[in-house]
Amino acid sequence: MFARSALRAAQPLKRAALKRTYATEPPAKAGSSNNALLYGAGAVGAAGAAYWYFGASGAQKAEAKVKDAVAGPPKKAFLGGDQGFISLALKDVEVINHNTKKFIFQLPEDDQVSGMQITSALLTKFKPADGEKPIIRPYTPTSEEDTKGLIELIVKKYPNGPMSTYLHDMVPGQRLDFKGPLPKYPWEANKHKHIALIAGGTGITPMYQLARAIFRNADDQTKVTLVFGNLTEEDILLKKEWEDLENTYPQRFRAFYTLDKPPKSWTGGAAGHITKDLLKTVLPEPKEDNIKIFVCGPPGLYKAISGNKVSPSDQGELTGYLKELGYSKDQVFKF
């Protein structure tokens, strides 16, 4: 559905109030929606789409370093090396919304960690009962890389999606094969001054993996902007986690949402899909030093925003809104 309507224009932005500037006033109170600054006459007039970016406090850095010291030496990893697919048992299933579930798989040993890297994905595999060739699909776990004993996947069920259908039919005790990690974009603290994450649907999971790693590292002062398109408000995955980041790091992180079918009471973003006008307003400008734009979502989003990648090793040419806005191929990475 996203693919069919990705090129439809969203509601016009109120450009007079949407200047891409840096504010000097203090951040909004915890619990407030930053997206209300973008849309609606009262909300837009209140503050505009400004950013407050200053560094993490010394107390935050000290606290993080104490946590690292207490954590001790790295735990042994489940994934990695040259091993093939390894079977894991499903421990638990949590329903997130009408078509999305969280699947919690148990690692062989309670003190093991997944072995995932920032940024990376893993492969899942099952063999259909009818004897057809195995179904293999990549996913990005939402569990933290140092979580012991388990791996979590958030999976949306798609019509005629063999892997998502199989997963949604699984019950605790059944098993699934895993292999990885599959490195994507190598990350280190402060690799870029400002990154933007443009996502649709379950394309949010690699974005969450990257953003979470940045804000867990007190030495990493990267600024982060998220633009997240969905069908309905219920479809916004990890919304609480994003809100927690906004409230904890209001000077460095902002999230902007678009909904194809917003409720009448929707004040958290724009109606329609992600548009060039929205991106021009909230993204770091192409001329800014050391920025990076990450894109992940369904085919329609890639077509409209950046163009598709050719293969895991070939990013393909940059097209779409980002090309039209003046970004270069080197400034964009397609998950």
Side-chain angles (χ1 to χ4, degrees):
M1 189 172 295
F2 197 111
R4 292 196 300 270
S5 57
L7 295 177
R8 295 207 305 269
Q11 290 181 347
L13 297 171
K14 302 189 185 302
R15 296 305 303 277
L18 296 178
K19 297 178 181 179
R20 177 162 40 194
T21 58
Y22 291 80
T24 56
E25 57 265 37
K29 293 180 181 179
S32 64
S33 172
N34 289 312
N35 298 287
L37 302 179
L38 268 181
Y39 307 99
V44 173
Y51 289 69
W52 302 288
Y53 288 133
F54 306 98
S57 68
Q60 286 175 320
K61 292 184 178 181
E63 181 183 1
K65 289 181 179 179
V66 168
K67 289 181 180 179
D68 290 342
V70 173
K75 307 299 186 297
K76 55 184 178 180
F78 163 68
L79 296 170
D82 298 325
Q83 87 275 23
F85 282 91
I86 302 176
S87 175
L88 292 181
L90 180 62
K91 180 180 180 180
D92 197 10
V93 180
E94 298 177 12
V95 175
I96 293 179
N97 62 28
H98 62 103
N99 64 0
T100 306
K101 295 180 179 180
K102 177 189 290 186
F103 299 89
I104 303 171
F105 289 89
Q106 182 73 52
L107 297 179
E109 299 180 27
D110 290 340
D111 64 344
Q112 282 183 314
V113 295
S114 66
M116 298 298 292
Q117 307 164 8
I118 304 299
T119 61
S120 66
L122 52 73
L123 292 178
T124 59
K125 182 182 75 170
F126 80 93
K127 187 174 178 59
D130 59 11
E132 293 290 330
K133 63 180 182 180
I135 303 298
I136 299 176
R137 293 291 186 274
Y139 289 100
T140 302
T142 53
S143 47
E144 296 182 357
E145 290 69 40
D146 59 0
T147 296
K148 293 187 291 185
L150 59 85
I151 293 177
E152 294 179 356
L153 302 180
I154 290 181
V155 179
K156 185 184 294 287
K157 183 177 180 179
Y158 289 99
N160 303 316
M163 179 60 76
S164 65
T165 299
Y166 180 82
L167 280 162
H168 275 248
D169 289 340
M170 288 184 71
V171 296
Q174 292 184 309
R175 306 183 74 87
L176 187 70
D177 291 341
F178 291 84
K179 183 178 181 180
L182 307 176
K184 297 291 185 177
Y185 187 81
W187 184 261
E188 58 186 30
N190 304 303
K191 184 168 185 174
H192 302 290
K193 291 182 180 179
H194 190 169
I195 66 170
L197 314 173
I198 305 174
T202 51
I204 197 65
T205 55
M207 309 305 196
Y208 179 64
Q209 183 190 60
L210 176 54
R212 181 185 61 206
I214 289 172
F215 291 109
R216 288 187 69 198
N217 183 353
D219 293 324
D220 196 335
Q221 295 301 298
T222 305
K223 306 168 189 176
V224 182
T225 297
L226 170 69
V227 182
F228 190 13
N230 283 282
L231 184 63
T232 69
E233 187 173 9
E234 188 181 19
D235 292 313
I236 302 177
L237 302 180
L238 300 164
K239 193 169 190 295
K240 181 182 181 301
E241 287 79 358
W242 294 119
E243 289 174 344
D244 288 344
L245 287 179
E246 279 192 299
N247 292 331
T248 306
Y249 305 96
Q251 300 161 344
R252 292 174 48 214
F253 175 70
R254 285 299 176 87
F256 302 97
Y257 304 98
T258 70
L259 295 182
D260 191 41
K261 297 180 179 179
K264 292 182 179 180
S265 59
W266 173 246
T267 60
H273 282 293
I274 298 169
T275 65
K276 183 168 70 171
D277 200 24
L278 173 60
L279 298 180
K280 184 177 181 179
T281 302
V282 304
L283 297 188
E285 295 185 7
K287 65 182 180 182
E288 289 187 32
D289 180 47
N290 195 17
I291 66 167
K292 197 75 174 184
I293 313 296
F294 294 90
V295 183
C296 189
L301 181 139
Y302 279 115
K303 181 179 180 180
I305 304 297
S306 64
N308 291 307
K309 62 182 180 181
V310 177
S311 69
S313 60
D314 185 350
Q315 286 280 295
E317 292 303 315
L318 179 65
T319 61
Y321 298 153
L322 294 179
K323 177 70 172 179
E324 294 169 12
L325 289 171
Y327 295 94
S328 67
K329 180 178 179 180
D330 292 340
Q331 290 177 311
V332 178
F333 182 83
K334 308 167 191 176
F335 277 111

PDB file of all heavy atoms in Angstrom, residues 159-180:
ATOM      1  N   PRO A 159       0.806  -9.557   3.328  1.00  0.00           N
ATOM      2  CA  PRO A 159       0.064 -10.491   2.487  1.00  0.00           C
ATOM      3  C   PRO A 159       1.010 -11.214   1.534  1.00  0.00           C
ATOM      4  O   PRO A 159       1.858 -10.589   0.895  1.00  0.00           O
ATOM      5  CB  PRO A 159      -0.913  -9.588   1.723  1.00  0.00           C
ATOM      6  CG  PRO A 159      -1.041  -8.369   2.574  1.00  0.00           C
ATOM      7  CD  PRO A 159       0.296  -8.177   3.216  1.00  0.00           C
ATOM      8  N   ASN A 160       0.895 -12.510   1.486  1.00  0.00           N
ATOM      9  CA  ASN A 160       1.738 -13.335   0.610  1.00  0.00           C
ATOM     10  C   ASN A 160       3.224 -13.253   0.972  1.00  0.00           C
ATOM     11  O   ASN A 160       4.083 -13.560   0.146  1.00  0.00           O
ATOM     12  CB  ASN A 160       1.554 -12.949  -0.860  1.00  0.00           C
ATOM     13  CG  ASN A 160       0.116 -13.063  -1.318  1.00  0.00           C
ATOM     14  OD1 ASN A 160      -0.561 -14.045  -1.009  1.00  0.00           O
ATOM     15  ND2 ASN A 160      -0.368 -12.058  -2.037  1.00  0.00           N
ATOM     16  N   GLY A 161       3.530 -12.841   2.199  1.00  0.00           N
ATOM     17  CA  GLY A 161       4.912 -12.844   2.670  1.00  0.00           C
ATOM     18  C   GLY A 161       5.212 -14.165   3.348  1.00  0.00           C
ATOM     19  O   GLY A 161       4.760 -14.409   4.470  1.00  0.00           O
ATOM     20  N   PRO A 162       5.981 -15.064   2.709  1.00  0.00           N
ATOM     21  CA  PRO A 162       6.158 -16.411   3.274  1.00  0.00           C
ATOM     22  C   PRO A 162       6.858 -16.427   4.628  1.00  0.00           C
ATOM     23  O   PRO A 162       6.456 -17.178   5.521  1.00  0.00           O
ATOM     24  CB  PRO A 162       6.984 -17.147   2.211  1.00  0.00           C
ATOM     25  CG  PRO A 162       7.644 -16.065   1.409  1.00  0.00           C
ATOM     26  CD  PRO A 162       6.694 -14.915   1.422  1.00  0.00           C
ATOM     27  N   MET A 163       7.906 -15.596   4.818  1.00  0.00           N
ATOM     28  CA  MET A 163       8.607 -15.622   6.100  1.00  0.00           C
ATOM     29  C   MET A 163       7.781 -14.958   7.191  1.00  0.00           C
ATOM     30  O   MET A 163       7.657 -15.490   8.298  1.00  0.00           O
ATOM     31  CB  MET A 163       9.966 -14.937   5.992  1.00  0.00           C
ATOM     32  CG  MET A 163      10.757 -14.912   7.302  1.00  0.00           C
ATOM     33  SD  MET A 163      11.118 -16.559   7.977  1.00  0.00           S
ATOM     34  CE  MET A 163      12.450 -17.068   6.887  1.00  0.00           C
ATOM     35  N   SER A 164       7.193 -13.799   6.904  1.00  0.00           N
ATOM     36  CA  SER A 164       6.403 -13.127   7.940  1.00  0.00           C
ATOM     37  C   SER A 164       5.180 -13.951   8.321  1.00  0.00           C
ATOM     38  O   SER A 164       4.801 -14.009   9.500  1.00  0.00           O
ATOM     39  CB  SER A 164       5.988 -11.725   7.477  1.00  0.00           C
ATOM     40  OG  SER A 164       5.110 -11.776   6.365  1.00  0.00           O
ATOM     41  N   THR A 165       4.570 -14.641   7.349  1.00  0.00           N
ATOM     42  CA  THR A 165       3.427 -15.511   7.652  1.00  0.00           C
ATOM     43  C   THR A 165       3.860 -16.682   8.518  1.00  0.00           C
ATOM     44  O   THR A 165       3.183 -17.047   9.496  1.00  0.00           O
ATOM     45  CB  THR A 165       2.788 -16.019   6.353  1.00  0.00           C
ATOM     46  OG1 THR A 165       2.310 -14.912   5.588  1.00  0.00           O
ATOM     47  CG2 THR A 165       1.629 -16.968   6.648  1.00  0.00           C
ATOM     48  N   TYR A 166       5.000 -17.270   8.175  1.00  0.00           N
ATOM     49  CA  TYR A 166       5.522 -18.399   8.961  1.00  0.00           C
ATOM     50  C   TYR A 166       5.791 -17.974  10.400  1.00  0.00           C
ATOM     51  O   TYR A 166       5.403 -18.656  11.357  1.00  0.00           O
ATOM     52  CB  TYR A 166       6.798 -18.926   8.314  1.00  0.00           C
ATOM     53  CG  TYR A 166       7.427 -20.087   9.041  1.00  0.00           C
ATOM     54  CD1 TYR A 166       6.966 -21.379   8.860  1.00  0.00           C
ATOM     55  CD2 TYR A 166       8.491 -19.884   9.930  1.00  0.00           C
ATOM     56  CE1 TYR A 166       7.532 -22.450   9.541  1.00  0.00           C
ATOM     57  CE2 TYR A 166       9.070 -20.942  10.602  1.00  0.00           C
ATOM     58  CZ  TYR A 166       8.589 -22.220  10.413  1.00  0.00           C
ATOM     59  OH  TYR A 166       9.157 -23.280  11.087  1.00  0.00           O
ATOM     60  N   LEU A 167       6.440 -16.822  10.560  1.00  0.00           N
ATOM     61  CA  LEU A 167       6.742 -16.340  11.898  1.00  0.00           C
ATOM     62  C   LEU A 167       5.464 -16.076  12.698  1.00  0.00           C
ATOM     63  O   LEU A 167       5.361 -16.439  13.878  1.00  0.00           O
ATOM     64  CB  LEU A 167       7.585 -15.076  11.817  1.00  0.00           C
ATOM     65  CG  LEU A 167       9.080 -15.277  11.567  1.00  0.00           C
ATOM     66  CD1 LEU A 167       9.729 -13.993  11.076  1.00  0.00           C
ATOM     67  CD2 LEU A 167       9.766 -15.760  12.839  1.00  0.00           C
ATOM     68  N   HIS A 168       4.493 -15.442  12.077  1.00  0.00           N
ATOM     69  CA  HIS A 168       3.259 -15.113  12.787  1.00  0.00           C
ATOM     70  C   HIS A 168       2.454 -16.348  13.158  1.00  0.00           C
ATOM     71  O   HIS A 168       1.585 -16.271  14.045  1.00  0.00           O
ATOM     72  CB  HIS A 168       2.417 -14.148  11.954  1.00  0.00           C
ATOM     73  CG  HIS A 168       2.800 -12.719  12.137  1.00  0.00           C
ATOM     74  ND1 HIS A 168       1.979 -11.797  12.755  1.00  0.00           N
ATOM     75  CD2 HIS A 168       3.940 -12.047  11.818  1.00  0.00           C
ATOM     76  CE1 HIS A 168       2.595 -10.617  12.797  1.00  0.00           C
ATOM     77  NE2 HIS A 168       3.773 -10.742  12.222  1.00  0.00           N
ATOM     78  N   ASP A 169       2.723 -17.475  12.514  1.00  0.00           N
ATOM     79  CA  ASP A 169       2.043 -18.720  12.860  1.00  0.00           C
ATOM     80  C   ASP A 169       2.818 -19.527  13.910  1.00  0.00           C
ATOM     81  O   ASP A 169       2.303 -20.534  14.424  1.00  0.00           O
ATOM     82  CB  ASP A 169       1.855 -19.592  11.612  1.00  0.00           C
ATOM     83  CG  ASP A 169       0.818 -19.022  10.655  1.00  0.00           C
ATOM     84  OD1 ASP A 169      -0.008 -18.193  11.108  1.00  0.00           O
ATOM     85  OD2 ASP A 169       0.845 -19.385   9.468  1.00  0.00           O
ATOM     86  N   MET A 170       4.032 -19.101  14.242  1.00  0.00           N
ATOM     87  CA  MET A 170       4.856 -19.844  15.195  1.00  0.00           C
ATOM     88  C   MET A 170       4.315 -19.703  16.622  1.00  0.00           C
ATOM     89  O   MET A 170       3.716 -18.692  16.984  1.00  0.00           O
ATOM     90  CB  MET A 170       6.310 -19.353  15.166  1.00  0.00           C
ATOM     91  CG  MET A 170       7.082 -19.749  13.926  1.00  0.00           C
ATOM     92  SD  MET A 170       8.841 -19.221  14.015  1.00  0.00           S
ATOM     93  CE  MET A 170       9.456 -20.363  15.288  1.00  0.00           C
ATOM     94  N   VAL A 171       4.575 -20.740  17.422  1.00  0.00           N
ATOM     95  CA  VAL A 171       4.230 -20.723  18.844  1.00  0.00           C
ATOM     96  C   VAL A 171       5.484 -21.074  19.628  1.00  0.00           C
ATOM     97  O   VAL A 171       6.422 -21.695  19.095  1.00  0.00           O
ATOM     98  CB  VAL A 171       3.099 -21.727  19.156  1.00  0.00           C
ATOM     99  CG1 VAL A 171       1.823 -21.337  18.434  1.00  0.00           C
ATOM    100  CG2 VAL A 171       3.529 -23.148  18.805  1.00  0.00           C
ATOM    101  N   PRO A 172       5.559 -20.640  20.888  1.00  0.00           N
ATOM    102  CA  PRO A 172       6.748 -20.951  21.688  1.00  0.00           C
ATOM    103  C   PRO A 172       7.105 -22.431  21.648  1.00  0.00           C
ATOM    104  O   PRO A 172       6.233 -23.305  21.713  1.00  0.00           O
ATOM    105  CB  PRO A 172       6.335 -20.500  23.092  1.00  0.00           C
ATOM    106  CG  PRO A 172       5.391 -19.363  22.836  1.00  0.00           C
ATOM    107  CD  PRO A 172       4.606 -19.789  21.621  1.00  0.00           C
ATOM    108  N   GLY A 173       8.398 -22.696  21.529  1.00  0.00           N
ATOM    109  CA  GLY A 173       8.895 -24.061  21.432  1.00  0.00           C
ATOM    110  C   GLY A 173       9.304 -24.443  20.020  1.00  0.00           C
ATOM    111  O   GLY A 173      10.165 -25.310  19.830  1.00  0.00           O
ATOM    112  N   GLN A 174       8.689 -23.806  19.016  1.00  0.00           N
ATOM    113  CA  GLN A 174       9.104 -24.060  17.643  1.00  0.00           C
ATOM    114  C   GLN A 174      10.442 -23.369  17.365  1.00  0.00           C
ATOM    115  O   GLN A 174      10.858 -22.466  18.100  1.00  0.00           O
ATOM    116  CB  GLN A 174       8.036 -23.569  16.666  1.00  0.00           C
ATOM    117  CG  GLN A 174       6.747 -24.379  16.720  1.00  0.00           C
ATOM    118  CD  GLN A 174       5.750 -23.929  15.667  1.00  0.00           C
ATOM    119  OE1 GLN A 174       5.449 -22.742  15.559  1.00  0.00           O
ATOM    120  NE2 GLN A 174       5.222 -24.882  14.913  1.00  0.00           N
ATOM    121  N   ARG A 175      11.092 -23.780  16.278  1.00  0.00           N
ATOM    122  CA  ARG A 175      12.456 -23.325  16.033  1.00  0.00           C
ATOM    123  C   ARG A 175      12.577 -22.637  14.671  1.00  0.00           C
ATOM    124  O   ARG A 175      11.810 -22.911  13.745  1.00  0.00           O
ATOM    125  CB  ARG A 175      13.448 -24.479  16.127  1.00  0.00           C
ATOM    126  CG  ARG A 175      13.350 -25.263  17.437  1.00  0.00           C
ATOM    127  CD  ARG A 175      14.396 -26.355  17.528  1.00  0.00           C
ATOM    128  NE  ARG A 175      15.729 -25.812  17.780  1.00  0.00           N
ATOM    129  CZ  ARG A 175      16.210 -25.549  19.004  1.00  0.00           C
ATOM    130  NH1 ARG A 175      15.466 -25.782  20.082  1.00  0.00           N
ATOM    131  NH2 ARG A 175      17.427 -25.065  19.152  1.00  0.00           N
ATOM    132  N   LEU A 176      13.579 -21.755  14.590  1.00  0.00           N
ATOM    133  CA  LEU A 176      13.883 -21.032  13.361  1.00  0.00           C
ATOM    134  C   LEU A 176      15.388 -20.962  13.218  1.00  0.00           C
ATOM    135  O   LEU A 176      16.120 -20.880  14.208  1.00  0.00           O
ATOM    136  CB  LEU A 176      13.298 -19.614  13.425  1.00  0.00           C
ATOM    137  CG  LEU A 176      13.390 -18.766  12.156  1.00  0.00           C
ATOM    138  CD1 LEU A 176      12.455 -19.321  11.069  1.00  0.00           C
ATOM    139  CD2 LEU A 176      13.021 -17.313  12.454  1.00  0.00           C
ATOM    140  N   ASP A 177      15.867 -21.002  11.969  1.00  0.00           N
ATOM    141  CA  ASP A 177      17.307 -20.960  11.714  1.00  0.00           C
ATOM    142  C   ASP A 177      17.801 -19.525  11.545  1.00  0.00           C
ATOM    143  O   ASP A 177      17.132 -18.697  10.901  1.00  0.00           O
ATOM    144  CB  ASP A 177      17.644 -21.762  10.457  1.00  0.00           C
ATOM    145  CG  ASP A 177      17.456 -23.259  10.657  1.00  0.00           C
ATOM    146  OD1 ASP A 177      17.424 -23.694  11.830  1.00  0.00           O
ATOM    147  OD2 ASP A 177      17.337 -23.984   9.653  1.00  0.00           O
ATOM    148  N   PHE A 178      19.000 -19.235  12.092  1.00  0.00           N
ATOM    149  CA  PHE A 178      19.591 -17.904  12.046  1.00  0.00           C
ATOM    150  C   PHE A 178      21.037 -17.975  11.563  1.00  0.00           C
ATOM    151  O   PHE A 178      21.746 -18.944  11.821  1.00  0.00           O
ATOM    152  CB  PHE A 178      19.588 -17.260  13.437  1.00  0.00           C
ATOM    153  CG  PHE A 178      18.235 -16.892  13.948  1.00  0.00           C
ATOM    154  CD1 PHE A 178      17.439 -17.845  14.587  1.00  0.00           C
ATOM    155  CD2 PHE A 178      17.745 -15.598  13.807  1.00  0.00           C
ATOM    156  CE1 PHE A 178      16.187 -17.502  15.068  1.00  0.00           C
ATOM    157  CE2 PHE A 178      16.496 -15.256  14.288  1.00  0.00           C
ATOM    158  CZ  PHE A 178      15.713 -16.205  14.920  1.00  0.00           C
ATOM    159  N   LYS A 179      21.460 -16.901  10.893  1.00  0.00           N
ATOM    160  CA  LYS A 179      22.859 -16.768  10.482  1.00  0.00           C
ATOM    161  C   LYS A 179      23.206 -15.284  10.424  1.00  0.00           C
ATOM    162  O   LYS A 179      22.387 -14.457  10.016  1.00  0.00           O
ATOM    163  CB  LYS A 179      23.086 -17.407   9.118  1.00  0.00           C
ATOM    164  CG  LYS A 179      24.532 -17.370   8.637  1.00  0.00           C
ATOM    165  CD  LYS A 179      24.679 -18.076   7.294  1.00  0.00           C
ATOM    166  CE  LYS A 179      26.134 -18.068   6.834  1.00  0.00           C
ATOM    167  NZ  LYS A 179      26.308 -18.759   5.531  1.00  0.00           N
ATOM    168  N   GLY A 180      24.420 -14.946  10.804  1.00  0.00           N
ATOM    169  CA  GLY A 180      24.829 -13.541  10.755  1.00  0.00           C
ATOM    170  C   GLY A 180      26.099 -13.328  11.553  1.00  0.00           C
ATOM    171  O   GLY A 180      26.748 -14.294  11.969  1.00  0.00           O
TER     172      GLY A 180
END
